[in-house]
């Protein structure tokens, strides 16, 4: 076996040396590969080996099949090949996250719809006289909750208080002080304004706001963190390679072609030095990405009880039913208080009134999502189990590319940057910026500034996911997906070869669209979690 390997090595060396003896056919194979990979026009290739005194990277004492123009095309091809490899390597991770962003948002929308439906059904079953008129305020409440969850800058306390303000005139008119006709608009407005003074629903508004705030902050933070995960991947997919790196990639991947060695592969150690040098900044993401995955697991574990969004949303109808019942039970007291503030009820002129039954009358009251009470929790668990497999993605990327794609196997003759050899003999450095000071193949001076920006965003989101930092209004604007810096640049900007483009947002309609750019309003106060008694 050893004799065979050595024979192969000698043969390849002979091919390389053959250029020096003017073998014209050796460039035919170079021409085929050049054309097959669509590196450039074939007119750039010499008809036969030539001196390479004009070459800057693929320098050799032998005759060469390359020209200076070919060398330039090879450098573009080497850069393109590596970026394609980076995108291919991250594609499954990116798909995992983006698919679950969409799935979580769909689940949120489904929960909102079901919660609204259950609320209307409960009102229709228990408080039929006012149920039809309550449909509008109920819809507005759940639309506002949808917008909040998907990133809109809404105050949870305001949207909940607005709902109960709109509900009180209906409760007063139909349940507390019913008449043959509706109270006048001006009197209804007075009743609305009195709601916060007379407190007909006791502690229900504060309790609902508290529950939505707690669970909503966790839910929208989860979505925002996943958007940032996608931004990290997009940034590293379009990593801007340094001049030193581009030259090293050219030397490793295409300089052998100049000597007719189109099938050669770099030695493993040589490949590791080049790729660890080129991806040194990317390796700095490793510890923060590991922490990101761990922090997501911690957030998911905390999304229980008052932070369980599914439990909160599907419990709104019960809380509302009890709140209206409390107001009805205390009708005489509330009526006296309203009379004191607004006077005797003023009603519209009497008209013949026909009771209109909503189509919801026939809708049976259903239990909350039979068999799927833990659907959000199960989805989070399954997602995190899959994401955990990628926690070391950035730390081992250079090695993975060399082992699976770029380098030759053990014991095979390989390219060391100059010749075909049995093995690479120079020192192999580790991963990360500091380790590159001893890299014999790529000189790395400083960390990539765009990578530093994305690391800062990861640090910030990790603080939030761990509950170590309670953000103020707008403090997460720079962690938005696709958010630029002060000069309008985007992290992971594509260059002119990548043809990247943006997309606009759709108009907000009743069915809340999925959003990819969450305007962060994690300013919602985390209210004190006190037990609440609805009776007073």
């Amino acid at each position: 076996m050893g004799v065979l390997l050595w024979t192969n090595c000698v043969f390849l060396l002979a091919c390389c040396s053959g250029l020096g003896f003017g073998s014209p056919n050796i460039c035919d194979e170079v021409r085929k590969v050049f054309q097959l990979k669509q590196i450039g026009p074939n007119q750039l290739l010499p008809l036969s080996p030539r001196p390479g005194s004009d070459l800057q990277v693929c320098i050799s004492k032998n005759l060469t099949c390359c020209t200076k123009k070919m060398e330039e095309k090879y450098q573009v091809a080497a850069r393109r090949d590596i970026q394609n490899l980076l995108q291919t390597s991250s594609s499954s991770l990116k798909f995992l996250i983006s698919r679950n962003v969409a799935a979580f948002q769909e689940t949120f929308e489904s929960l909102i719809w079901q919660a609204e439906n259950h609320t209307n059904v409960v009102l229709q079953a228990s408080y039929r006289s006012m149920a039809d008129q309550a449909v509008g305020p109920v819809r507005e409440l759940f639309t506002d909750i949808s917008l909040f969850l998907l990133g809109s800058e809404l105050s949870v306390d305001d949207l909940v208080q607005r709902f109960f303000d709109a509900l009180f005139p209906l409760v007063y008119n139909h349940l507390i002080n019913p008449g043959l006709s509706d109270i006048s608009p001006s009197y209804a407005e007075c009743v609305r304004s009195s709601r916060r003074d007379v407190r007909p629903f006791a502690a229900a508004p504060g309790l609902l706001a508290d529950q939505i705030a707690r669970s909503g902050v966790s839910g929208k933070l989860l979505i925002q963190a996943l958007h940032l995960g996608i931004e990290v991947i997009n940034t590293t997919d379009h990593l801007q390679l340094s001049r030193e790196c581009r030259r090293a990639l050219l030397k490793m991947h295409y300089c052998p072609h100049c000597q007719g060695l189109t099938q050669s592969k770099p030695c493993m150690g040589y490949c590791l030095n080049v790729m660890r040098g080129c991806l040194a900044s990317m390796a700095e993401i490793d510890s923060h990405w590991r922490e990101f995955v761990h922090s997501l697991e911690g957030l998911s574990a905390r999304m229980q009880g008052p932070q369980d969004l599914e439990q909160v949303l599907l419990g709104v109808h019960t809380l509302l039913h009890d709140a209206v019942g409390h107001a009805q039970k205390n009708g005489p007291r509330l009526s006296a208080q309203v009379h004191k503030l607004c006077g005797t009820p003023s009603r519209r002129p009497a008209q013949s009134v026909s009771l209109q039954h909503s189509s919801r009358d026939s809708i049976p009251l259903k239990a909350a999502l039979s068999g799927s009470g833990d659907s959000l929790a199960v989805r989070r668990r399954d997602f995190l189990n899959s994401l955990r497999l990628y926690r070391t993605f950035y730390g081992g990327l250079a090695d993975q590319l060399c082992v699976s794609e770029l380098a030759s196997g053990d014991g095979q003759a390989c390219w060391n940057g100059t010749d075909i050899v049995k093995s690479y003999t120079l020192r192999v450095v580790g991963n990360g910026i500091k380790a590159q000071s001893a890299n014999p193949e790529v000189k790395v001076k400083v960390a990539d500034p765009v990578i530093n920006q994305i690391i800062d965003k990861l640090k910030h989101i990790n603080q939030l996911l761990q509950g170590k930092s309670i953000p103020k209004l707008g403090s997460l604007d720079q962690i938005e997906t696709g958010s630029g810096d002060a000069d309008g640049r985007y992290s992971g900007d594509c260059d002119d070869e990548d043809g990247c483009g943006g997309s606009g947002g759709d108009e907000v309609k009743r069915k809340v669209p999925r959003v990819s750019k969450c305007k962060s309003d994690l300013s919602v106060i985390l209210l004190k979690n006190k037990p609440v008694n609805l009776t007073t």
Side-chain angles (χ1 to χ4, degrees):
M1 185 68 177
V3 174
L4 179 59
L5 287 173
W6 179 244
T7 302
N8 290 338
C9 183
V10 171
F11 173 76
L12 290 171
L13 286 169
C15 290
C16 179
S17 302
L19 287 172
F21 293 99
S23 303
N25 293 335
I26 199 68
C27 293
D28 290 345
E29 182 64 24
V30 177
R31 185 183 305 275
K32 290 178 184 178
V33 175
F34 197 80
Q35 184 176 19
L36 181 65
K37 292 196 172 188
Q38 298 180 328
I39 294 172
N42 277 353
Q43 293 87 334
L44 298 180
L45 277 81
L47 296 176
S48 59
R50 57 181 288 276
S53 57
D54 56 340
L55 300 182
Q56 297 183 348
V57 179
C58 300
I59 301 170
S60 173
K61 59 184 179 181
N62 301 317
L63 296 179
T64 178
C65 289
C66 286
T67 63
K68 188 174 185 298
K69 287 291 185 183
M70 284 178 65
E71 191 179 52
E72 293 170 0
K73 293 293 184 182
Y74 275 140
Q75 185 162 98
V76 172
R79 173 178 169 275
R80 180 193 64 207
D81 291 348
I82 290 302
Q83 289 199 322
N84 287 341
L85 276 178
L86 290 176
Q87 292 172 29
T88 300
S89 297
S90 67
S91 61
S92 58
L93 172 59
K94 185 175 180 180
F95 177 72
L96 172 67
I97 298 177
S98 58
R99 180 188 63 196
N100 277 277
V101 167
F104 284 127
Q105 291 182 167
E106 284 179 358
T107 303
F108 289 171
E109 291 173 10
S110 176
L111 286 172
I112 290 291
W113 180 86
Q114 291 179 70
E116 179 182 340
N117 181 57
H118 290 160
T119 300
N120 285 324
V121 169
V122 164
L123 292 178
Q124 190 66 239
S126 301
Y127 309 108
R128 183 183 298 270
S129 60
M130 58 164 264
D132 287 347
Q133 288 180 280
V135 168
V138 169
R139 172 161 293 187
E140 182 178 356
L141 170 68
F142 285 103
T143 297
D144 286 344
I145 294 174
S146 295
L147 292 171
F148 168 71
L149 289 177
L150 296 179
S152 179
E153 295 181 3
L154 291 175
S155 163
V156 172
D157 188 61
D158 286 349
L159 69 88
V160 170
Q161 297 295 344
R162 187 164 57 246
F163 166 72
F164 281 102
D165 285 347
L167 186 66
F168 185 40
L170 303 181
V171 173
Y172 178 83
N173 184 54
H174 293 283
L175 302 178
I176 295 176
N177 197 349
L180 295 178
S181 60
D182 289 345
I183 56 177
S184 66
S186 60
Y187 196 83
E189 182 57 36
C190 183
V191 174
R192 173 197 293 265
S193 300
S194 72
R195 199 273 302 174
R196 303 192 191 194
D197 292 324
V198 303
R199 300 183 72 246
F201 306 113
L207 178 60
L208 181 59
D210 182 28
Q211 290 178 346
I212 293 173
R214 287 175 181 275
S215 60
V217 164
S218 298
K220 68 193 299 185
L221 182 56
L222 172 65
I223 294 294
Q224 191 169 31
L226 299 190
H227 278 302
L228 179 60
I230 295 173
E231 185 183 352
V232 172
I233 299 167
N234 285 338
T235 300
T236 54
D237 276 354
H238 298 93
L239 181 69
Q240 299 301 302
L241 304 175
S242 67
R243 180 175 179 271
E244 284 284 341
C245 171
R246 295 196 302 269
R247 290 170 66 92
L249 290 173
L250 165 62
K251 185 177 180 182
M252 179 178 79
H253 202 58
Y254 285 110
C255 282
H257 290 219
C258 295
Q259 299 185 32
L261 304 171
T262 57
Q263 302 301 317
S264 68
K265 283 192 169 187
C267 303
M268 181 60 72
Y270 176 45
C271 180
L272 290 174
N273 276 340
V274 171
M275 295 309 298
R276 287 176 178 176
C278 286
L279 304 184
S281 291
M282 198 182 294
E284 297 296 318
I285 298 175
D286 178 49
S287 62
H288 308 288
W289 182 261
R290 289 171 186 256
E291 185 179 1
F292 176 68
V293 175
H294 181 69
S295 300
L296 282 172
E297 292 174 332
L299 175 70
S300 180
R302 295 195 305 274
M303 292 175 73
Q304 300 177 10
Q307 294 191 48
D308 185 339
L309 183 62
E310 187 165 25
Q311 177 180 312
V312 167
L313 289 176
L314 296 180
V316 169
H317 67 276
T318 301
L319 185 148
L320 183 57
H321 175 273
D322 294 345
V324 175
H326 177 269
Q328 189 177 29
K329 179 181 178 181
N330 290 273
R333 175 182 63 82
L334 295 172
S335 184
Q337 289 178 296
V338 171
H339 286 180
K340 185 177 180 180
L341 293 170
C342 300
T344 304
S346 171
R347 297 188 180 277
R348 303 184 188 199
Q351 298 176 352
S352 59
V353 180
S354 61
L355 293 177
Q356 296 181 353
H357 297 287
S358 167
S359 61
R360 289 186 178 84
D361 288 1
S362 60
I363 301 177
L365 182 60
K366 298 179 181 179
L369 283 177
S370 176
S372 59
D374 294 324
S375 61
L376 262 179
V378 170
R379 190 179 294 280
R380 288 196 310 269
R381 183 198 64 201
D382 292 345
F383 165 66
L384 290 171
N385 284 341
S386 298
L387 184 63
R388 198 175 294 115
L389 301 176
Y390 294 92
R391 65 187 181 279
T392 61
F393 176 76
Y394 285 105
L397 186 56
D399 300 43
Q400 175 194 332
L401 293 178
C402 285
V403 171
S404 62
E405 299 288 343
L406 299 173
S408 65
D410 291 340
Q412 296 181 3
C414 55
W415 173 255
N416 69 352
T418 306
D419 261 319
I420 295 295
V421 295
K422 292 181 66 177
S423 63
Y424 184 71
T425 57
L426 299 182
R427 175 184 176 182
V428 178
V429 300
N431 284 295
I433 295 291
K434 291 182 179 179
Q436 305 314 306
S437 60
N439 194 325
E441 307 298 344
V442 185
K443 299 302 177 186
V444 180
K445 299 178 181 178
V446 293
D448 185 290
V450 176
I451 296 296
N452 284 341
Q453 288 177 9
I454 209 69
I455 287 175
D456 287 342
K457 291 185 178 185
L458 278 171
K459 288 179 179 178
H460 191 182
I461 202 73
N462 286 340
Q463 290 283 311
L464 296 173
L465 290 170
Q466 295 164 20
K468 295 179 180 177
S469 173
I470 303 301
K472 297 180 181 179
L473 178 61
S475 65
L476 283 185
D477 284 348
Q478 294 304 313
I479 310 188
E480 295 176 39
T481 298
S483 63
D485 60 19
D487 297 324
R489 295 187 299 271
Y490 285 79
S491 294
D493 266 349
C494 306
D495 56 32
D496 52 4
E497 289 184 5
D498 296 311
C500 294
S503 60
D506 295 328
E507 183 181 350
V508 174
K509 298 184 180 178
R510 172 65 188 105
K511 177 174 172 57
V512 181
R514 297 192 190 98
V515 291
S516 60
K517 296 183 178 181
C518 295
K519 269 295 182 186
S520 307
D521 177 19
L522 298 183
S523 58
V524 183
I525 27 54
L526 294 179
L527 304 173
K528 294 182 179 179
N529 187 20
K530 296 181 179 179
V532 177
N533 186 349
L534 281 177
T535 57
T536 52

